[in-house]
Amino acid sequence: MTLIETDSFSSNKKVIRQSELMRLIEINHFLSLEEIAERFSVTTQTARRDIAELEQRGKVRKLHGGAALATPLDPGTYKQRRTDRADEKARIANRVAELVPDGATIFLDTGTTCEAIAHALIAKARLHIVTYSLRSAAIINENTDFTLAVPGGFVRAVDGGMFQEGTPDFIRRFKFDYAIISVSGVDHDGDLCDDDHTEVAVVSCALRQSACKVLAVDSTKFGKGAMVRLGSVADVDVLISDRPPPPALNEKFEDHGVQVMLAGSGP
């Protein structure tokens, strides 16, 4: 093989690797240098160079120890999330609905897991729901006579989230029996991580206004990070998932007295 052919082969390998790397970051929200190096059988130095090149092209943001998406998820990726692990999300949603009594006042977060929860809550009675998810609001409004409150503002096209500067003030008007939230990842430090900083003020306010704080995530979120720190496991009372967290992370939930409930089983 000539030098030109060798350079061309190496360049093609890099293009393919970086394309696959982008796909994985879109799915997982964040990848560490170690995960990239292991996944692609390259050195951490090569992983750093790939991240630097993708950052220069505006594709990713370089974060401490890894990379996250530079911009919010595109509609295609979000649509794919709706079908990814749909069975697990449905079971988690049913477990959440079992926890919530009729007549409760609820804050419901945005995202595909919370949309599944909206479907499950249809089976309840006399609920009072506040949500900034236009998709979840539509599910509830079309199928129930629940009291439903949503803030005004601009609609984020990718997931139907509704935002304006006064949304946290809108949330502060309410007292919730349950705040039901979902996140992009729960990292190894026990931090709750998400993709968009605009959600942090809204969700943080809802948690402060709630008697019981419920984190609903599927097990692929354990050990995953994302661009924004929303809080920590200390900020929730109940975790509902399809599988237990890994032992080290489970210890953090236990240390903070978080009740772990598994979908399809008892607490």
Side-chain angles (χ1 to χ4, degrees), residues 190-236:
D191 286 332
L192 310 181
C193 304
D194 224 322
D195 298 309
D196 196 327
H197 68 89
T198 55
E199 298 183 17
V200 174
V202 177
V203 174
S204 297
C205 183
L207 291 174
R208 289 193 297 270
Q209 303 291 107
S210 178
C212 182
K213 307 157 186 66
V214 181
L215 173 63
V217 292
D218 71 79
S219 55
T220 64
K221 304 301 190 297
F222 298 139
K224 299 294 183 183
M227 187 166 59
V228 182
R229 181 185 183 275
L230 188 146
S232 80
V233 297
D235 298 320
V236 300

Side-chain angles (χ1 to χ4, degrees), residues 38 108 113 156 169 178 209 214:
E38 181 179 355
L108 183 61
T113 299
R156 187 169 59 188
D169 292 331
Y178 296 87
Q209 303 291 107
V214 181

Side-chain angles (χ1 to χ4, degrees), residues 34 40-41 49 54 58 86 92-93 111 126 130 136 138 156 174 179-180 186 188 209-211 213 235 249:
E34 291 74 17
F40 296 100
S41 300
R49 286 194 294 270
L54 290 170
I92 290 167
R126 304 184 312 281
V130 178
S136 291
R156 187 169 59 188
F174 301 90
I180 303 168
V186 184
H188 296 296
Q209 303 291 107
S210 178
K213 307 157 186 66
D235 298 320
L249 188 55

Side-chain angles (χ1 to χ4, degrees), residues 4-264:
I4 293 176
E5 289 173 330
T6 301
D7 289 344
S8 177
F9 178 73
S10 298
S11 177
N12 287 340
K13 279 184 64 176
K14 184 173 73 170
V15 169
I16 293 170
R17 183 177 68 245
Q18 291 183 357
S19 176
E20 176 66 8
L21 175 56
M22 277 301 306
R23 189 185 71 83
L24 291 173
I25 291 176
E26 287 174 349
I27 293 172
N28 296 290
H29 321 301
F30 173 89
L31 283 180
S32 69
L33 286 169
E34 291 74 17
E35 288 173 321
I36 296 169
E38 181 179 355
R39 173 80 184 193
F40 296 100
S41 300
V42 297
T43 64
T44 53
Q45 289 80 7
T46 297
R48 283 193 183 93
R49 286 194 294 270
D50 281 345
I51 290 172
E53 289 184 18
L54 290 170
E55 185 177 45
Q56 287 178 349
R57 284 150 48 192
K59 298 291 188 180
V60 303
R61 281 188 62 185
K62 183 168 60 178
L63 301 177
H64 178 69
L69 283 179
T71 57
L73 292 175
D74 63 88
T77 300
Y78 192 84
K79 185 176 181 180
Q80 181 63 43
R81 283 189 182 179
R82 276 211 171 109
T83 57
D84 287 343
R85 298 182 65 79
D87 290 343
E88 289 83 351
K89 290 175 183 178
R91 289 194 286 115
I92 290 167
N94 289 335
R95 191 70 176 95
V96 171
E98 290 172 4
L99 177 68
V100 173
D102 291 339
T105 300
I106 298 167
F107 170 81
L108 183 61
D109 200 0
T110 190
T112 55
T113 299
C114 288
E115 289 169 25
I117 292 169
H119 279 289
L121 290 176
I122 290 170
K124 310 301 291 188
R126 304 184 312 281
L127 295 183
H128 310 272
I129 298 178
V130 178
T131 183
Y132 65 112
S133 168
L134 196 61
R135 296 185 192 279
S136 291
I139 293 166
I140 293 161
N141 184 62
E142 291 170 6
N143 295 281
T144 74
D145 59 357
F146 298 164
T147 302
L148 178 65
V150 296
F154 294 94
V155 178
R156 187 169 59 188
V158 67
D159 64 352
M162 300 178 67
F163 297 96
Q164 65 167 333
E165 186 178 350
T167 301
D169 292 331
F170 176 83
I171 299 298
R172 289 190 191 97
R173 300 176 189 175
F174 301 90
K175 288 287 188 179
F176 304 107
D177 298 310
Y178 296 87
I180 303 168
I181 70 168
S182 193
V183 294
S184 300
V186 184
D187 70 16
H188 296 296
D189 295 325
D191 286 332
L192 310 181
C193 304
D194 224 322
D195 298 309
D196 196 327
H197 68 89
T198 55
E199 298 183 17
V200 174
V202 177
V203 174
S204 297
C205 183
L207 291 174
R208 289 193 297 270
Q209 303 291 107
S210 178
C212 182
K213 307 157 186 66
V214 181
L215 173 63
V217 292
D218 71 79
S219 55
T220 64
K221 304 301 190 297
F222 298 139
K224 299 294 183 183
M227 187 166 59
V228 182
R229 181 185 183 275
L230 188 146
S232 80
V233 297
D235 298 320
V236 300
D237 301 307
V238 179
L239 165 69
I240 299 181
S241 187
D242 56 304
R243 292 185 180 182
L249 188 55
N250 193 56
E251 282 186 18
K252 295 185 182 297
F253 282 105
E254 290 180 349
D255 289 344
H256 292 288
V258 179
Q259 185 177 15
V260 177
M261 296 181 173
L262 300 184

